Amino acid sequence: MTIDNKTPAWRHQIIVVDREEMTIDGVLSLGSYDEKEVIMETEQGVLIVKGEGLNIKQLNLDKSNIIVEGLIKGVSYDDTSHNKKGLLERFLK
C-alpha cells in the first residue's frame, strides 16, 4: 500500500478477546469514560463501547491505540458526531 498525504500510516481496527479485552487502533482522542461506557473519536467516527467494569488498561494517542478491559456488551458508531467539534460540543452540553 502506497502512503500519501491522505492515507494514514495506521488503520482503524478493533480486536476483541473473549469479550474481556478490546484493542482499538486508529483512535484520535478519548472523549469520556466510566465503568459502563467509553467514548472515543476514531478516524471512522465516534466509537462508543458499552459494558460492565470497563477500565482503560492502556492509552497511547501517539500510536493511536487504546486497550479497554472489562465485560464488553456492545460497540457502536455515532455518526451524528463525526467531527471533532461535534464531539467537543456533545461533552460541553
Side-chain angles (χ1 to χ4, degrees):
M1 175 169 85
T2 304
I3 298 178
D4 57 22
N5 291 338
K6 295 180 183 178
T7 305
W10 41 263
R11 296 175 59 176
H12 176 61
Q13 68 178 7
I14 300 171
I15 300 169
V16 180
V17 178
D18 295 330
R19 289 182 64 188
E20 294 177 353
E21 185 174 278
M22 174 182 281
T23 302
I24 305 159
D25 293 328
V27 176
L28 300 176
S29 65
L30 179 63
S32 70
Y33 69 94
D34 59 30
E35 64 182 27
K36 293 186 179 188
E37 184 176 71
V38 179
I39 301 173
M40 67 200 81
E41 183 178 9
T42 73
E43 189 65 31
Q44 299 295 312
V46 175
L47 179 66
I48 303 166
V49 178
K50 294 190 178 193
E52 292 179 8
L54 298 179
N55 182 44
I56 296 176
K57 182 177 178 181
Q58 182 179 33
L59 174 64
N60 188 336
L61 292 177
D62 291 334
K63 293 185 179 180
S64 300
N65 85 5
I66 187 172
I67 299 174
V68 178
E69 60 184 3
L71 178 61
I72 313 289
K73 290 190 167 185
V75 178
S76 63
Y77 288 91
D78 182 359
D79 290 331
T80 60
S81 298
H82 187 70
N83 60 40
K84 288 183 182 181
K85 187 174 181 182
L87 180 64
L88 184 59
E89 287 174 358
R90 177 177 175 178
F91 296 116
L92 293 178
K93 287 185 179 181

